[in-house]
Amino acid sequence: MDVLGHRVGGGELTLIAGPCAVESEEQLMPLARSLKAAGVQWIRGGAYKPRTSPYEFQGLGVEGLRLLATARDEFGLAVVSEAVDETSLARVEEWADVIQIGARNMHNFELLKRAGRTRKPIFLKRGFSAQMEDLLWAAEYIANAGNPDILLCERGIRTFSDHSRFTLDLSIVPRLLAASRLPVFVDPSHACGRREDIHALARAAVAVGADGVMLEVHPDPESARSDGPQSLSPDEFFGIASDLRHVHAALRSGEEVAT
Amino acid sequence: MDVLGHRVGGGELTLIAGPCAVESEEQLMPLARSLKAAGVQWIRGGAYKPRTSPYEFQGLGVEGLRLLATARDEFGLAVVSEAVDETSLARVEEWADVIQIGARNMHNFELLKRAGRTRKPIFLKRGFSAQMEDLLWAAEYIANAGNPDILLCERGIRTFSDHSRFTLDLSIVPRLLAASRLPVFVDPSHACGRREDIHALARAAVAVGADGVMLEVHPDPESARSDGPQSLSPDEFFGIASDLRHVHAALRSGEEVAT
Amino acid sequence: MDVLGHRVGGGELTLIAGPCAVESEEQLMPLARSLKAAGVQWIRGGAYKPRTSPYEFQGLGVEGLRLLATARDEFGLAVVSEAVDETSLARVEEWADVIQIGARNMHNFELLKRAGRTRKPIFLKRGFSAQMEDLLWAAEYIANAGNPDILLCERGIRTFSDHSRFTLDLSIVPRLLAASRLPVFVDPSHACGRREDIHALARAAVAVGADGVMLEVHPDPESARSDGPQSLSPDEFFGIASDLRHVHAALRSGEEVAT
Amino acid sequence: MDVLGHRVGGGELTLIAGPCAVESEEQLMPLARSLKAAGVQWIRGGAYKPRTSPYEFQGLGVEGLRLLATARDEFGLAVVSEAVDETSLARVEEWADVIQIGARNMHNFELLKRAGRTRKPIFLKRGFSAQMEDLLWAAEYIANAGNPDILLCERGIRTFSDHSRFTLDLSIVPRLLAASRLPVFVDPSHACGRREDIHALARAAVAVGADGVMLEVHPDPESARSDGPQSLSPDEFFGIASDLRHVHAALRSGEEVAT
């Protein structure tokens, strides 16, 4: 699959990074510049935020999408942004390069059908209580409506285990790769909810065979309007991105060792 | 920590391999030779098996321990074997180098106290519904009774997710490493229950920072009396072991890249 | 709360019964007559069905709503039917008396906000991996948008336990009754997925203090286009409805015994 | 089944009540008197306590068993007490009437086999992550070793749901009653961990068809050395016991209504 000339899958490692939510031009533009400098070709950022409470920040809407598009124009970054209903989906389709369907909407079958009628690739996150089969059926809703360009993403499931926000289920990655031809991503940021563990989990995601990793990065995590505790600073991200590429290359040469 | 002169933790990668259950001399000895040839220094094998049904194979008992000791004497392999009650613990203490307390006995506090009074290191597996805190308390039972030599092991937890037998919770590894000084292992074989995914998950375990990996290997997985579907053949294991060491080395050099 | 003159909560026991999906006039009308005869004042029936696979029956749409409205006009039954997006919500609002938001849409915040702008009560089902807090926040989305008439419903959560489809979490009922003023319902049909256990679980729901129970009933469960295995026949339902009212009365007199 | 002339199952409702742990004569004797006055024929009390931390109160041992035996002699109460290993099992067998195997030892197969060689009935609690099948296999371990007198008990499972300590899985009760001939109990105290909800959940347990309910009662819950928050006072218990018998009678007459 190709997005803006950036290849996904087929042995490439794709890093998608950016803030949980787009907050302002001052937040986004320097960050986009850092991502570019770190060799990243994709930016994520939420303009429409599904939040547990109605009193939390719900996103900038079209204004946020416009900022993301500016980042694309300036730095050549492909833009991934989430749609939460029919209206926002039309907007995201217009402004972004890839439309994200979040975990909380993986079972929103009407939105999936509607996503199937767009011309942009869909980044589909596993619901946090979805069986693997449910995720593949969700992808089938999209494909069946006419859109075969789907990227799957594991982002943690709900379990009794309370040392992390959700339990990252990396064992689904080889299963999905065996069961479908779709690229498989991992989002350790939302799964673990804790900055200190992101590097180790991102390495594990690469090692288990994921085609890409999505990471939350914020120019000033302490002041983030959402997901601060799990957001990396640009400096932290820079080191991690280098390392992940290094690990990815080592794994590929290891495959030759193993065979 | 040192066992039979083999160092654990501190940057070393320890591979522990062997059959679910010791079945016979014909099964164990050629396998031990293969493990040695693959550069492994530790062998696992069950002589006392906790089985869900009373009608399943319950292990060879002392006869199994004797075979493991022969493997140690011949090949210099450190022996890890499971104890399931006071009687078997005394036997395992006598014949093996490391005493395993399995997931189903992690909450068996009397056995933990008794393990705390032995002179051999304890390989303590996380119960499949244990919080991280429960695991650390179980270790405290052992340490408090006098035995500080404890190795922790993640082996999968029970969740709704049905594409694997248990859900391997790799995110506990960095948490445990941060919370205690004990070495942390991962057992992907029992977690996923499927041979094809073991390599990918073992790589992820190394990548997430585990001090070692425990793998089930059987000279003829199809005929294994237990856990055949998740057991590797010696040939498969040979390739995986080489690769894991390669990955481990790459990760260490990657750490320098990242910092 | 009052719907079509039928009181909900405040010591009343409300039974809501009907088919998973409205299939035809021949299916619905005799069933509505049976429900009326069994003393029931509410009918449920899906016109828009959220289904795991896109190849399963997706409901009759407006035609289904029309049939339900006919049942209301003929038998005085209040109609509960599910909305799955903005379009269906407008239709359900027009034709039904109570708008259901299903478990898979409990996290669909845009639909919740839209439901908050209707003039009809909302029957809000707990998502199958929602914490109690998530359910109350979902209700807050609706109330905050202007609609205070909300009925909550427990319908089972996803756990490792595989003897039932979902695990019915009855302990949430007293918690919800203590934490809010909203009526609390229980749907044992979707939770257990097995006709034989519905009676026992419905009794438990009444005993734990639920204001009402929702039950799937089909004139011919074997031929149902969805949820046949958990649907009751009208005869089975007749006996259960009588019994539940009897149990409910006994519980009220028991409260006097206990105090 | 008959214990000390008290019948279990077959339409009887058996209430088992008492403190989490036996603490002293001053605690136990007045409580035993209250239980007798409330019409209860069974007392529970732990002399050997499996505790998560080694620094928590571990029980009085034989001294606790002696106090329970005194309560039996004085008030005719059948005594249920937990064994945690071979040694305590021999003691409990000697002093008590029913031997409890707790949730944390349901997978302790050696203890199960040993329990199968005693002459006293076994009160077997479901492990908090046990499938129904695991529970039945655990019972089979006991029966297969020679002891057919087994009482099963649901006490809550580990799930993501955090409004209660464990999630009480009442839907297992009709399944177990259909799958075996063993009496089935429910322990709402350990499941919910909150005094206020015990009454509602105990009612639900009776309503779902359980043969009995186990409840924690303490003469002074605030000062209990363990499980205080979920322990009932004798007065609270008195009202609940009356009500449960009333509900049980009403359910039996309801069955005639329903058929």
Side-chain angles (χ1 to χ4, degrees):
Chain A
M1 200 186 299
D2 254 60
V3 178
L4 276 198
H6 308 320
R7 199 164 152 221
V8 183
E12 295 293 313
L13 177 67
T14 301
L15 301 182
I16 305 177
C20 174
V22 179
E23 297 171 8
S24 69
E25 193 176 341
E26 294 66 37
Q27 171 221 35
L28 197 68
M29 289 307 144
L31 180 58
R33 187 183 304 276
S34 305
L35 296 179
K36 181 69 180 176
V40 168
Q41 299 174 315
W42 300 63
I43 190 169
R44 62 150 285 152
Y48 301 92
K49 300 299 307 170
R51 302 302 299 275
T52 301
S53 153
Y55 307 118
E56 294 175 299
F57 177 51
Q58 311 264 323
L60 292 183
V62 175
E63 178 53 24
L65 291 172
R66 251 188 219 117
L67 290 170
L68 286 164
T70 309
R72 176 186 48 219
D73 296 346
E74 199 148 330
F75 303 106
L77 299 167
V79 168
V80 184
S81 197
E82 180 168 358
V84 295
D85 64 355
E86 199 157 332
T87 308
S88 57
L89 191 138
R91 298 270 161 76
V92 175
E93 183 182 15
E94 182 184 352
W95 293 92
D97 304 297
V98 174
I99 304 166
Q100 178 175 312
I101 305 290
R104 285 172 181 74
N105 279 312
M106 196 212 80
H107 291 290
N108 182 345
F109 303 118
E110 300 310 311
L111 189 60
L112 296 174
K113 290 181 203 169
R114 181 68 188 72
R117 296 193 296 270
T118 66
R119 299 146 298 111
K120 296 273 174 77
I122 307 299
F123 190 86
L124 176 64
K125 287 194 159 183
R126 179 186 185 187
F128 48 70
S129 59
Q131 307 280 21
M132 176 171 130
E133 193 183 33
D134 298 336
L135 174 58
L136 291 173
W137 279 121
E140 186 69 14
Y141 262 102
I142 298 168
N144 186 50
N147 188 347
D149 294 331
I150 304 163
L151 304 90
L152 304 176
C153 184
E154 159 66 24
R155 48 77 73 208
I157 57 174
R158 271 220 166 135
T159 74
F160 68 85
S161 193
D162 60 2
H163 61 82
S164 57
R165 253 175 101 203
F166 293 88
T167 297
L168 190 65
D169 177 15
L170 289 175
S171 69
I172 202 173
V173 175
R175 284 295 90 209
L176 287 172
L177 293 172
S180 90
R181 298 186 187 177
L182 305 175
V184 179
F185 282 70
V186 170
D187 171 353
S189 303
H190 283 88
C192 86
R194 185 186 283 112
R195 192 178 303 130
E196 306 89 279
D197 296 347
I198 303 291
H199 190 175
L201 290 171
R203 281 178 150 201
V206 173
V208 88
D211 295 297
V213 180
M214 176 177 264
L215 295 166
E216 289 193 323
V217 186
H218 192 281
D220 179 14
E222 307 306 319
S223 75
R225 297 188 67 177
S226 55
D227 286 356
Q230 73 209 34
S231 293
L232 302 164
S233 72
D235 278 0
E236 289 168 324
F237 175 72
F238 194 91
I240 291 173
S242 305
D243 175 58
L244 295 181
R245 279 189 288 260
H246 170 83
V247 171
H248 184 247
L251 290 161
R252 299 193 70 176
S253 71
E255 267 151 38
E256 292 155 27
V257 173
T259 53
Chain B
M1 201 185 300
D2 253 61
V3 179
L4 276 196
H6 309 321
R7 199 163 152 220
V8 183
E12 295 293 312
L13 177 66
T14 300
L15 300 182
I16 304 178
C20 174
V22 178
E23 296 171 8
S24 68
E25 192 176 340
E26 294 66 41
Q27 172 221 32
L28 196 69
M29 289 308 143
L31 180 59
R33 188 182 304 276
S34 305
L35 297 179
K36 180 69 179 176
V40 168
Q41 297 173 315
W42 299 63
I43 190 168
R44 62 150 285 152
Y48 301 92
K49 300 299 307 169
R51 304 300 301 275
T52 302
S53 152
Y55 308 119
E56 294 174 299
F57 177 51
Q58 310 263 325
L60 292 183
V62 175
E63 178 54 25
L65 291 172
R66 252 187 219 120
L67 291 170
L68 288 163
T70 309
R72 177 186 47 218
D73 296 345
E74 200 150 331
F75 304 107
L77 299 166
V79 168
V80 184
S81 197
E82 180 168 358
V84 296
D85 63 356
E86 198 158 332
T87 308
S88 57
L89 191 138
R91 299 272 161 76
V92 175
E93 184 183 13
E94 181 184 355
W95 293 92
D97 303 298
V98 174
I99 304 166
Q100 178 175 312
I101 303 290
R104 285 172 181 75
N105 279 311
M106 196 212 80
H107 291 290
N108 182 346
F109 303 118
E110 300 310 311
L111 189 60
L112 297 174
K113 289 181 204 169
R114 182 66 189 73
R117 296 194 296 270
T118 67
R119 299 146 297 114
K120 297 275 174 76
I122 306 299
F123 191 87
L124 177 63
K125 288 194 156 182
R126 179 186 186 186
F128 47 70
S129 59
Q131 306 280 22
M132 177 171 128
E133 195 185 33
D134 299 334
L135 175 57
L136 291 174
W137 279 122
E140 186 68 13
Y141 262 102
I142 298 169
N144 186 50
N147 188 347
D149 294 331
I150 303 164
L151 304 91
L152 304 176
C153 183
E154 159 66 25
R155 49 75 74 206
I157 57 173
R158 272 222 165 133
T159 74
F160 67 85
S161 192
D162 60 2
H163 61 82
S164 57
R165 254 174 100 204
F166 293 87
T167 298
L168 190 65
D169 178 14
L170 288 176
S171 68
I172 203 174
V173 176
R175 284 294 90 212
L176 286 173
L177 292 172
S180 89
R181 297 185 187 177
L182 305 175
V184 179
F185 282 71
V186 170
D187 170 354
S189 303
H190 283 89
C192 87
R194 187 186 282 110
R195 191 177 305 129
E196 306 88 280
D197 296 347
I198 302 290
H199 190 175
L201 290 171
R203 282 178 148 201
V206 173
V208 89
D211 295 296
V213 179
M214 178 179 262
L215 294 167
E216 289 193 322
V217 186
H218 192 281
D220 179 15
E222 305 307 318
S223 75
R225 296 188 69 177
S226 55
D227 286 358
Q230 73 210 34
S231 293
L232 302 165
S233 72
D235 278 0
E236 289 168 324
F237 175 72
F238 194 92
I240 291 173
S242 305
D243 175 58
L244 295 181
R245 279 189 288 260
H246 170 83
V247 170
H248 185 248
L251 290 161
R252 299 192 72 175
S253 72
E255 266 151 40
E256 292 154 28
V257 174
T259 53
Chain C
M1 201 186 300
D2 253 60
V3 179
L4 276 198
H6 309 320
R7 197 163 154 222
V8 183
E12 294 294 313
L13 177 67
T14 301
L15 301 182
I16 306 178
C20 173
V22 178
E23 296 172 8
S24 68
E25 192 175 341
E26 294 67 38
Q27 172 222 34
L28 198 69
M29 289 307 144
L31 180 58
R33 186 182 304 277
S34 304
L35 296 179
K36 181 70 180 177
V40 168
Q41 297 173 315
W42 300 63
I43 190 169
R44 61 150 285 154
Y48 302 91
K49 299 299 306 170
R51 304 301 299 274
T52 302
S53 153
Y55 308 118
E56 294 174 300
F57 178 52
Q58 310 264 324
L60 292 183
V62 175
E63 178 54 25
L65 291 171
R66 251 189 220 117
L67 290 170
L68 286 164
T70 309
R72 176 185 49 219
D73 296 345
E74 200 149 331
F75 304 107
L77 298 167
V79 168
V80 184
S81 198
E82 181 169 357
V84 294
D85 63 357
E86 198 157 331
T87 309
S88 57
L89 191 139
R91 298 272 162 74
V92 174
E93 183 183 14
E94 181 184 353
W95 292 92
D97 304 296
V98 174
I99 304 167
Q100 178 175 313
I101 303 290
R104 285 172 182 74
N105 280 312
M106 195 212 80
H107 291 289
N108 182 345
F109 303 118
E110 300 311 310
L111 190 60
L112 296 175
K113 290 180 203 169
R114 181 67 189 71
R117 297 194 296 271
T118 67
R119 300 146 297 113
K120 297 274 173 77
I122 306 299
F123 190 86
L124 176 64
K125 287 193 160 183
R126 179 187 186 187
F128 48 71
S129 58
Q131 306 280 24
M132 177 171 130
E133 194 184 33
D134 297 336
L135 175 57
L136 292 173
W137 279 121
E140 185 68 14
Y141 262 101
I142 298 168
N144 185 49
N147 188 347
D149 295 330
I150 304 164
L151 305 91
L152 304 175
C153 183
E154 159 66 24
R155 50 75 75 206
I157 58 174
R158 271 220 166 136
T159 73
F160 68 85
S161 192
D162 61 2
H163 61 81
S164 58
R165 256 175 100 201
F166 293 88
T167 297
L168 190 66
D169 178 14
L170 289 176
S171 67
I172 203 173
V173 175
R175 285 292 92 209
L176 286 172
L177 292 172
S180 91
R181 297 188 187 175
L182 305 175
V184 179
F185 282 70
V186 171
D187 170 355
S189 302
H190 283 88
C192 86
R194 186 186 283 112
R195 190 179 305 129
E196 305 88 281
D197 296 346
I198 303 291
H199 189 175
L201 290 171
R203 282 179 149 200
V206 173
V208 89
D211 295 297
V213 180
M214 176 177 264
L215 294 165
E216 289 193 324
V217 186
H218 192 282
D220 179 14
E222 306 305 320
S223 75
R225 297 188 69 178
S226 56
D227 286 356
Q230 72 210 33
S231 294
L232 301 165
S233 71
D235 278 1
E236 289 169 323
F237 174 73
F238 194 91
I240 291 173
S242 306
D243 175 58
L244 294 181
R245 280 189 288 260
H246 170 82
V247 171
H248 184 247
L251 290 161
R252 299 193 71 173
S253 71
E255 266 150 41
E256 293 155 27
V257 173
T259 53
Chain D
M1 202 185 299
D2 253 60
V3 179
L4 276 197
H6 308 321
R7 197 160 154 223
V8 182
E12 295 293 313
L13 176 67
T14 300
L15 301 182
I16 305 177
C20 175
V22 178
E23 296 171 8
S24 68
E25 192 176 340
E26 294 67 40
Q27 171 221 35
L28 197 69
M29 290 307 143
L31 180 59
R33 187 182 304 275
S34 304
L35 297 179
K36 181 69 180 178
V40 169
Q41 297 173 315
W42 300 62
I43 190 169
R44 62 150 284 154
Y48 302 92
K49 299 299 307 170
R51 304 300 300 274
T52 301
S53 153
Y55 308 118
E56 294 175 300
F57 178 51
Q58 310 264 324
L60 292 184
V62 175
E63 178 53 26
L65 292 173
R66 251 188 220 119
L67 291 169
L68 287 164
T70 309
R72 177 187 46 220
D73 295 345
E74 200 149 333
F75 303 107
L77 299 168
V79 169
V80 184
S81 197
E82 181 169 358
V84 294
D85 63 356
E86 198 157 331
T87 308
S88 57
L89 191 138
R91 298 271 161 76
V92 175
E93 184 182 14
E94 181 185 352
W95 292 93
D97 303 297
V98 174
I99 304 166
Q100 179 176 314
I101 303 290
R104 285 172 181 75
N105 280 311
M106 195 212 81
H107 290 290
N108 182 346
F109 302 119
E110 301 310 311
L111 190 60
L112 297 174
K113 289 180 204 170
R114 181 66 188 73
R117 296 194 296 271
T118 66
R119 299 146 297 114
K120 297 273 173 76
I122 306 299
F123 191 86
L124 177 64
K125 287 193 159 184
R126 180 186 186 188
F128 47 71
S129 59
Q131 306 280 20
M132 176 170 130
E133 195 185 31
D134 298 335
L135 175 57
L136 291 173
W137 279 122
E140 186 67 14
Y141 262 101
I142 298 169
N144 185 50
N147 188 347
D149 294 331
I150 304 164
L151 304 92
L152 304 175
C153 183
E154 159 67 24
R155 50 76 75 207
I157 56 174
R158 272 222 164 133
T159 73
F160 68 86
S161 193
D162 61 1
H163 61 82
S164 57
R165 253 175 102 203
F166 293 88
T167 298
L168 190 65
D169 178 14
L170 288 175
S171 68
I172 203 174
V173 176
R175 282 296 89 210
L176 286 173
L177 292 172
S180 90
R181 297 188 186 174
L182 304 176
V184 179
F185 283 69
V186 171
D187 170 353
S189 303
H190 283 89
C192 86
R194 186 187 281 110
R195 191 177 305 129
E196 308 88 280
D197 297 347
I198 303 290
H199 190 175
L201 290 172
R203 280 179 150 199
V206 173
V208 89
D211 295 297
V213 180
M214 177 179 262
L215 294 166
E216 288 194 323
V217 186
H218 192 282
D220 179 14
E222 305 306 320
S223 75
R225 297 187 68 176
S226 56
D227 286 358
Q230 72 210 32
S231 293
L232 302 164
S233 72
D235 277 2
E236 289 168 324
F237 175 72
F238 194 92
I240 290 174
S242 304
D243 175 57
L244 294 182
R245 279 189 288 259
H246 170 83
V247 170
H248 184 248
L251 289 161
R252 299 193 71 174
S253 71
E255 267 150 40
E256 292 155 28
V257 173
T259 52

